[in-house]
Amino acid sequence: MRLTKETVIQTAADIADKDGLGGVSLRAVAEKLAIRTPSLYNHIDNLDGLLREMAHRGMREMNARMLQAAVGRSGDAAIKAVSVAYLEYMIAHPGVYETIQWALWHGSAETAEIFEQYKSLLVKLILSCRLKNPDTGEILPLLTGFLHGYCTMQLGKAIKNPEGAVRGLEMALDTVLLGIHGTYGQG
Amino acid sequence: MRLTKETVIQTAADIADKDGLGGVSLRAVAEKLAIRTPSLYNHIDNLDGLLREMAHRGMREMNARMLQAAVGRSGDAAIKAVSVAYLEYMIAHPGVYETIQWALWHGSAETAEIFEQYKSLLVKLILSCRLKNPDTGEILPLLTGFLHGYCTMQLGKAIKNPEGAVRGLEMALDTVLLGIHGTYGQG
DNA sequence: TTTACAATACTAATCTTATTAGTTATAATA
DNA sequence: TATTATAACTAATAAGATTAGTATTGTAAA
């Protein structure tokens, strides 16, 4: 009688990072916790609920790390530091990240709220670039899209060579930011 | 005794586009075809195999449409036209696109091969930009990443407002291409 | 300290799917 | 027409999620 919801979520996250989102089943979680599958229902609503909570936990952790990375920085440097934190989280927790993407489609109002916090951080950093025409309605989707897509497509290589992947991300980001400064004006 | 593998795949694709990848089950496919579930095994290996074939079919279709969009164009204009074709396929077939992403992780050698064809097209278009330093090893991941990420994150809105989404993609792409020209040299 | 309650684990049972084995009907072909 | 391969079917098994109902135990009030 010691098991907590947090432990259940952590166990599911471990399985996801090891075997992918598809490897997460109540059966597998219960087995790892050495309890019977139905006992999990004392802690969670159902499988989808567990996955959602795992995603939320991961999103909050990502947001926290990105916030830390942004401290003391502004403009391009801040965006790059935050992006590196984003990629490093993905490398460390690919299964949780996969679950986060799943939750962006199968999520709740809470999912949307945490995602808003992420976008809100990026908006502040975009504004800190002091662009002539800081159209965050255009720049934000560009950045979030690039970040998700670039990191996702590079994840396989990134896990094998994290430093190289971080370098690659920073260079690609330099190019993207160069374009943003060109389009939206030097500050 | 008329059912063909092509019909099975098409049926699965229809379900995916309507209910998402998660909605595709042998049960659902069989029901739509008015046959019993085990009968599907006369046409496919198993569920994963069906999903993979659906993905391959979709990837080939995307490649074909992108190739058509590139005909008669070069440089930035070609990249933009191909990107629009990419987004338009996603809007028309979100479930198949979701399955394609699944297949990039759970795929076979054939999956990798079709994906190579896609990248090969983009490489040719990048080279057609006549950059001073056409480092496709850097530019290709930047472009594929941006394209996947931007379109994925905008898909919800894009389905509601396709024209607006296409415009948004083209503008974002202008910015990215501006950065690419800045970093890798005007031709 | 003892009792009552709430939390949590368990077993048993049901439902949905995927998958395999074995059988039967049929369309094409020799 | 007889043969054969194809593709449908039924029956059966296994994995998983979920629900219902029962038992146990830690906590906290009496």
Side-chain angles (χ1 to χ4, degrees):
Chain A
M1 255 200 201
R2 196 114 295 136
L3 188 53
T4 138
K5 171 185 272 201
E6 184 54 29
T7 307
V8 173
I9 297 173
Q10 179 61 52
T11 304
D14 290 344
I15 295 172
D17 286 335
K18 190 165 150 295
D19 303 329
L21 173 54
V24 181
S25 67
L26 295 185
R27 173 124 166 74
V29 173
E31 186 163 5
K32 200 158 189 178
L33 290 168
I35 62 174
R36 301 307 182 129
T37 308
S39 306
L40 287 171
Y41 285 83
N42 287 309
H43 305 277
I44 61 170
D45 288 342
N46 49 43
L47 177 57
D48 276 19
L50 171 58
L51 296 179
R52 249 189 301 275
E53 298 213 53
M54 190 209 306
H56 293 170
R57 194 163 149 286
M59 290 169 82
R60 282 192 246 268
E61 175 69 20
M62 281 190 82
N63 286 351
R65 293 194 192 184
M66 289 190 284
L67 193 59
Q68 285 304 313
V71 168
R73 294 187 170 97
S74 71
D76 289 10
I79 291 176
K80 284 170 70 174
V82 160
S83 299
V84 168
Y86 186 107
L87 174 59
E88 284 176 340
Y89 184 88
M90 279 183 71
I91 292 172
H93 302 289
V96 173
Y97 187 81
E98 190 184 353
T99 310
I100 291 172
Q101 293 308 313
W102 171 88
L104 290 184
W105 284 91
H106 303 84
S108 60
E110 191 179 359
T111 319
E113 188 187 319
I114 309 174
F115 189 61
E116 283 303 320
Q117 292 169 10
Y118 159 61
K119 289 193 289 190
S120 155
L121 170 61
L122 280 191
V123 164
K124 282 175 197 142
L125 299 187
I126 291 167
L127 294 177
S128 81
C129 286
R130 309 210 157 282
L131 299 164
K132 208 176 298 174
N133 172 31
D135 187 338
T136 58
E138 290 181 6
I139 302 170
L140 179 62
L142 197 168
L143 264 187
T144 58
F146 167 75
L147 207 44
H148 165 58
Y150 183 91
C151 294
T152 298
M153 309 276 290
Q154 294 301 308
L155 187 53
K157 289 175 198 166
I159 290 175
K160 290 176 199 155
N161 177 11
E163 297 85 0
V166 166
R167 254 196 315 280
L169 170 62
E170 287 181 321
M171 290 198 309
L173 216 37
D174 280 334
T175 295
V176 170
L177 288 167
L178 182 63
I180 289 173
H181 282 284
T183 299
Y184 300 97
Q186 312 294 344
Chain B
M1 253 202 203
R2 194 113 297 132
L3 186 53
T4 137
K5 170 185 273 202
E6 184 54 30
T7 307
V8 173
I9 298 174
Q10 178 61 51
T11 303
D14 291 344
I15 294 172
D17 286 335
K18 190 165 151 294
D19 302 330
L21 173 54
V24 181
S25 66
L26 295 185
R27 172 123 167 73
V29 172
E31 186 163 5
K32 200 158 190 179
L33 290 168
I35 61 173
R36 301 308 180 124
T37 307
S39 304
L40 287 171
Y41 285 83
N42 287 309
H43 305 278
I44 61 170
D45 287 342
N46 50 42
L47 177 57
D48 275 18
L50 172 57
L51 295 179
R52 249 189 302 274
E53 299 213 53
M54 190 208 306
H56 293 171
R57 195 164 149 283
M59 291 168 81
R60 283 193 245 268
E61 175 68 20
M62 281 190 83
N63 286 350
R65 294 195 192 183
M66 290 189 284
L67 193 60
Q68 286 304 315
V71 168
R73 295 186 170 96
S74 71
D76 288 11
I79 290 176
K80 284 169 70 174
V82 160
S83 298
V84 168
Y86 187 107
L87 174 58
E88 285 176 339
Y89 183 89
M90 279 182 71
I91 292 172
H93 301 288
V96 173
Y97 187 81
E98 192 184 352
T99 310
I100 290 171
Q101 292 307 314
W102 171 89
L104 290 184
W105 284 91
H106 303 84
S108 60
E110 190 178 1
T111 318
E113 187 187 320
I114 309 174
F115 189 61
E116 284 302 321
Q117 292 170 9
Y118 159 61
K119 290 193 289 189
S120 155
L121 170 61
L122 281 191
V123 164
K124 282 176 197 141
L125 298 187
I126 291 167
L127 293 177
S128 81
C129 287
R130 309 210 157 282
L131 299 164
K132 209 176 299 173
N133 173 29
D135 187 337
T136 57
E138 290 179 7
I139 301 170
L140 178 63
L142 196 169
L143 264 187
T144 57
F146 167 75
L147 207 45
H148 165 59
Y150 184 90
C151 295
T152 299
M153 309 276 291
Q154 295 301 309
L155 187 53
K157 289 175 197 165
I159 289 175
K160 290 175 198 155
N161 177 12
E163 296 86 0
V166 166
R167 254 195 315 280
L169 171 63
E170 287 181 321
M171 290 198 308
L173 217 36
D174 280 334
T175 295
V176 170
L177 288 166
L178 182 63
I180 290 174
H181 282 284
T183 298
Y184 299 96
Q186 313 292 344

